[in-house]
Amino acid sequence: MKINDKVRKKQMKKVALASIIGTSIEWYDFFLYGTMAALVFPQLFFPESSSFMGVLQAFITLFIGFLARPIGAIIFSSYGDKIGRKAALVTSLLLMGISSTLMGLLPTFDTVGILAPILLVILRFIQGIGVGGEWGGSVTLSVEWSSEKSRGLMGSMTQLGVPIGMLFSTAVVSLCIFLTGDSFAVWGWRIPFLLSFVLIIIGLAIRLGIEESPEFTKMKEENRTAKNPIIESIKGHPKEIVFAALTRLADNVPFYIYTTFLIYYATQHLQIDRQFITNAVLLVSVTFLFVVPLSAYLSDLYGRRNITLAGMILTLVFSYPYFAMVNTGETSLIITAIIISSIGPAIVYGPQAALIAEIFPVHLRFSGASIAYQFASIIAGGLAPMISLALLDRFGSTSSISLYVVICCTISIIALFLLKPVDQLNMAENKPNVV
């Protein structure tokens, strides 16, 4: 299906906007949970546990969302590779928004006892399924509508959802803390979740206006869609899936340590003001907003691998200085550490969408990219806060957490070199098997 440049450019703008808005809303919901898990969920849903166990249990429920993400990837990507990218994106947005809204209406442990954390876990699991189907569809649609020379930058439109979603969720929480004061832990925490209902309406209105990608439409017209895209992706591209997932350790692990875990560590161990550290974490999002599209653009010019490697090395090098600066308790040093620590993961994250999407042929792209990306959520970000908490409790020092980041970055660097080079790959020339 031949698309003229005028139509392609117009649709690219629509898809870019839909990717940014839609993924921002989904990540708003996902990150909102992480912030609440560090601030109030231990007291609200696990009040009978010790301080340490309450936080650990809250982080375990946080992990449930990551555990569900590959399941969401399997469900939605199979659907997206057979039926269409757009339909999968609309459904995932609805699922995420409804589950988040219901969280704002949950009774706490004091009201219904053990039923409260059970309901929390169920809704968190549904959240994970929703976000698991989001990334692959958004990236695939963005990359397939882009020109050959702008796949990195276009793919980063989906990646921008992370900093925007986190920025918005953290800002809303900070505002609610300020406005509700001591009542935040009583009822103020519900407001950010209830806001999700309004956001999904906005997201749906935008996403319903985009068109299916020309590559997928052509493939469907020619009856070349995969019968079992998940199975075919795993059987046909196992190394690509594993190596791509491992490259995500370098950005996903430090990201959740420097955001979710930091809020707990700073408030409970360093006795830093809750309002200050919540606001300070906003700087991670601000840094990502600038660095992610820049690194993606540079990857279009100088190659995905080169730019990604630079980010991995920077993340590794700064892992020890980061905690050394945070542990001083000095606000200026904490802010500096937060900004610098964000740059490396942001550089890695920028080209990541195109890097992973380019590995797979059109008929398996949604499935293959989704599985690779979301599998990393289990072994990387989902475990990072819990592992960091366990390391701090076991060794009583943040040095072990820094070593954990170093090991993850080293694994990612090795995986990056084992991943077949696909920079500037002309995906339109990928010849999928006729099924």
Side-chain angles (χ1 to χ4, degrees):
M1 188 172 90
K2 189 69 174 176
I3 303 292
N4 64 55
D5 290 341
K6 186 177 181 180
V7 173
R8 180 181 290 277
K9 287 180 180 179
K10 182 179 180 181
Q11 196 58 216
M12 276 177 63
K13 292 178 181 178
K14 286 185 176 181
V15 171
L17 179 63
S19 295
I20 293 173
I21 299 297
T23 53
S24 295
I25 292 170
E26 295 223 22
W27 285 111
Y28 164 84
D29 292 329
F30 202 76
F31 285 131
L32 181 60
Y33 188 99
T35 302
M36 295 303 185
L39 289 177
V40 296
F41 281 177
Q43 305 96 292
L44 295 174
F45 293 94
F46 310 99
E48 295 187 346
S49 301
S50 64
S51 177
F52 171 78
M53 286 305 299
V55 174
L56 181 59
Q57 287 170 326
F59 281 163
I60 289 174
T61 64
L62 176 70
F63 175 66
I64 293 296
F66 287 89
L67 194 63
R69 281 168 62 175
I71 298 174
I74 291 171
I75 295 172
F76 284 100
S77 60
S78 181
Y79 181 63
D81 273 331
K82 290 192 291 186
I83 307 299
R85 283 68 158 122
K86 177 181 173 180
L89 284 174
V90 170
T91 307
S92 69
L93 183 63
L94 273 172
L95 197 64
M96 188 67 159
I98 292 172
S99 60
S100 297
T101 302
L102 291 175
M103 281 184 181
L105 301 173
L106 276 181
T108 61
F109 189 91
D110 289 341
T111 305
V112 296
I114 193 65
L115 181 62
I118 292 175
L119 291 174
L120 182 68
V121 168
I122 292 173
L123 291 177
R124 178 59 177 174
F125 189 81
I126 295 173
Q127 262 194 342
I129 290 177
V131 81
E134 164 68 25
W135 186 87
S138 183
V139 164
T140 301
L141 201 59
S142 297
V143 170
E144 288 178 352
W145 267 113
S146 67
S147 63
E148 292 178 24
K149 296 181 179 180
S150 62
R151 290 195 180 111
L153 182 60
M154 191 66 176
S156 73
M157 297 300 100
T158 294
Q159 308 297 73
L160 282 175
V162 168
I164 294 174
M166 182 183 173
L167 183 65
F168 189 38
S169 67
T170 308
V172 170
V173 171
S174 181
L175 180 62
C176 288
I177 290 174
F178 175 75
L179 294 176
T180 61
D182 293 337
S183 297
F184 178 76
V186 181
W187 57 268
W189 66 273
R190 297 181 183 275
I191 298 174
F193 286 106
L194 297 176
L195 182 60
S196 297
F197 183 75
V198 178
L199 297 178
I200 59 172
I201 294 175
I202 297 172
L204 284 174
I206 294 173
R207 281 201 165 164
L208 289 172
I210 61 176
E211 296 179 14
E212 190 58 80
S213 81
E215 287 186 61
F216 179 80
T217 301
K218 182 175 185 293
M219 182 181 66
K220 195 172 181 181
E221 289 174 350
E222 296 173 353
N223 196 29
R224 294 190 290 116
T225 55
K227 290 183 178 179
N228 297 293
I230 295 296
I231 295 175
E232 290 178 43
S233 296
I234 295 174
K235 284 186 176 181
H237 304 274
K239 291 182 180 179
E240 287 84 355
I241 289 173
V242 172
F243 293 150
L246 292 177
T247 61
R248 298 206 60 228
L249 292 175
D251 69 281
N252 209 231
V253 167
F255 182 85
Y256 282 96
I257 291 175
Y258 300 160
T259 54
T260 301
F261 177 76
L262 176 65
I263 292 176
Y264 158 75
Y265 177 69
T267 56
Q268 301 300 315
H269 288 261
L270 301 180
Q271 305 305 313
I272 293 173
D273 179 67
R274 181 174 61 181
Q275 185 82 59
F276 165 76
I277 199 64
T278 304
N279 291 338
V281 168
L282 286 173
L283 295 172
V284 174
S285 304
V286 174
T287 304
F288 265 62
L289 277 175
F290 288 99
V291 178
V292 164
L294 175 60
S295 64
Y297 171 73
L298 291 175
S299 78
D300 283 326
L301 298 177
Y302 304 109
R304 317 272 183 249
R305 178 181 288 178
N306 294 333
I307 301 302
T308 301
L309 179 62
M312 290 176 175
I313 292 174
L314 180 58
T315 305
L316 186 154
V317 169
F318 196 66
S319 59
Y320 279 93
Y322 170 78
F323 274 112
M325 295 171 72
V326 169
N327 287 335
T328 63
E330 295 290 335
T331 56
S332 59
L333 288 178
I334 291 175
I335 290 174
T336 304
I338 287 174
I339 294 173
I340 297 176
S341 69
S342 308
I343 297 174
I347 292 174
V348 176
Y349 198 62
Q352 198 170 81
L355 176 73
I356 296 177
E358 286 175 338
I359 299 170
F360 302 97
V362 178
H363 71 307
L364 300 176
R365 187 168 297 143
F366 195 148
S367 299
S370 293
I371 295 170
Y373 185 88
Q374 302 301 351
F375 173 64
S377 68
I378 296 179
I379 61 176
L383 288 174
M386 287 190 294
I387 290 176
S388 299
L389 184 66
L391 289 172
L392 183 65
D393 182 66
R394 172 66 177 82
F395 297 102
S397 169
T398 54
S399 295
S400 56
I401 302 175
S402 297
L403 179 59
Y404 170 40
V405 174
V406 168
I407 293 172
C408 289
C409 288
T410 302
I411 293 173
S412 287
I413 291 171
I414 295 171
L416 181 66
F417 280 99
L418 291 175
L419 200 62
K420 66 178 183 180
V422 291
D423 290 16
Q424 307 303 325
L425 177 66
N426 184 349
M427 292 188 292
E429 293 180 358
N430 253 331
K431 303 297 183 182
N433 297 324
V434 177
V435 179

